[in-house]
Coordinates of all heavy atoms in Angstrom, one line a residue:
L287 N 0.4 5.1 0.7 CA -0.5 6.1 1.3 C 0.1 7.4 1.5 O 1.1 7.6 2.2 CB -1.0 5.5 2.7 CG -1.5 4.1 2.7 CD1 -1.8 3.7 4.2 CD2 -2.8 4.0 1.9
L294 N -9.7 13.1 8.5 CA -10.3 11.9 9.2 C -10.6 12.3 10.6 O -9.8 13.0 11.3 CB -9.5 10.7 9.1 CG -9.2 10.0 7.8 CD1 -8.4 8.7 8.0 CD2 -10.5 9.7 7.1
D295 N -11.7 11.8 11.2 CA -12.0 12.0 12.6 C -11.2 11.0 13.4 O -10.6 10.1 12.8 CB -13.5 11.9 12.8 CG -14.1 10.6 12.4 OD1 -13.6 9.5 12.9 OD2 -15.0 10.6 11.5
R379 N 55.7 26.6 15.7 CA 56.6 27.1 16.7 C 58.0 26.4 16.6 O 59.0 27.0 16.8 CB 56.0 26.8 18.1 CG 56.9 27.3 19.2 CD 56.2 27.1 20.5 NE 57.0 27.6 21.7 CZ 56.7 27.4 22.9 NH1 55.6 26.8 23.3 NH2 57.5 27.9 23.9
K386 N 63.9 20.2 17.8 CA 62.5 19.8 17.8 C 61.9 19.5 16.3 O 60.7 19.2 16.2 CB 61.6 21.0 18.3 CG 61.9 21.3 19.8 CD 61.2 20.3 20.7 CE 61.3 20.8 22.2 NZ 60.6 19.9 23.1
S434 N -27.7 31.4 18.6 CA -28.3 30.1 18.1 C -28.0 30.0 16.6 O -28.0 30.9 15.8 CB -29.8 30.1 18.2 OG -30.2 30.2 19.6
D440 N -32.4 23.2 11.2 CA -32.0 22.2 12.3 C -31.2 22.9 13.3 O -30.1 23.5 13.0 CB -31.2 21.1 11.6 CG -30.8 20.0 12.6 OD1 -31.5 19.9 13.7 OD2 -29.9 19.3 12.4
E506 N -6.9 32.9 -12.2 CA -5.5 32.9 -12.8 C -4.5 33.7 -12.1 O -3.4 34.0 -12.6 CB -5.7 33.4 -14.3 CG -6.5 32.5 -15.2 CD -5.8 31.1 -15.3 OE1 -4.6 31.1 -15.5 OE2 -6.5 30.1 -15.2
K515 N -3.8 41.5 -3.0 CA -5.2 41.8 -2.7 C -5.6 41.8 -1.3 O -6.6 42.2 -0.8 CB -6.2 40.9 -3.5 CG -6.0 41.0 -5.0 CD -6.9 40.0 -5.8 CE -6.7 40.1 -7.3 NZ -7.6 39.2 -8.0

Side-chain angles (χ1 to χ4, degrees):
L287 305 176
L294 292 184
D295 56 60
R379 183 178 180 185
K386 297 281 189 177
S434 296
D440 183 20
E506 294 296 316
K515 297 177 181 179

